[in-house]
Amino acid sequence: MDVTTARERLESMLADIDRSIAVLRGDPVAVRDRSAADAGADLTDADRVQAMLAVATAQRRSVVDAIKRVEEGAYGCCVDCAKPVPEGRLEARPEAARCVQCQSKRERRR
Ligand SMILES: [Zn+2]
């Protein structure tokens, strides 16, 4: 995937995430746009909304970081081992910062 495509995809993801976050926070304009509530937010369930907000906020951070890597010319390289992240992985998750090996190592540490 070339960086221009990657950047476009990341920016559109960021717009979607921002819309979801607005819905979760109860922005009345965004709530009216029901298509933005794609995660199926039950706005009466405060705990679930909080959990979804945490997920969306974390995802937003990964997307913002990935855009930063595009700007720095470091996009597509694993932030831990600096090897190229496989194309298929970037297709599935354009915000991925690590190759599969480093990501699973990181997840095991938690
Ligand atoms: Zn790696």
Side-chain angles (χ1 to χ4, degrees):
M1 179 158 54
D2 65 275
V3 286
T4 314
T5 311
R7 198 190 170 117
E8 276 169 16
R9 285 188 59 186
L10 288 163
E11 278 169 357
S12 93
M13 285 172 78
L14 189 60
D16 284 347
I17 294 167
D18 280 342
R19 261 200 304 280
S20 302
I21 289 176
V23 170
L24 292 168
R25 286 192 179 143
D27 180 328
V29 177
V31 171
R32 268 205 301 276
D33 178 11
R34 294 195 56 113
S35 65
D38 51 302
D42 177 357
L43 293 168
T44 60
D45 187 340
D47 287 344
R48 224 174 84 200
V49 168
Q50 276 308 313
M52 286 168 64
L53 201 51
V55 171
T57 306
Q59 202 191 0
R60 187 181 193 283
R61 202 177 309 132
S62 333
V63 172
V64 168
D65 284 351
I67 292 172
K68 217 179 293 165
R69 288 195 302 280
V70 170
E71 281 165 358
E72 289 165 355
Y75 182 76
C77 291
C78 173
V79 296
D80 285 352
C81 70
K83 282 186 210 140
V85 178
E87 189 79 356
R89 178 163 168 77
L90 290 176
E91 281 289 338
R93 294 194 52 200
E95 81 283 18
R98 290 175 184 82
C99 65
V100 177
Q101 287 91 326
C102 292
Q103 186 64 47
S104 62
K105 251 186 258 167
R106 196 179 155 86
E107 276 160 17
R108 268 203 303 273
R109 270 210 301 269
R110 276 198 211 131

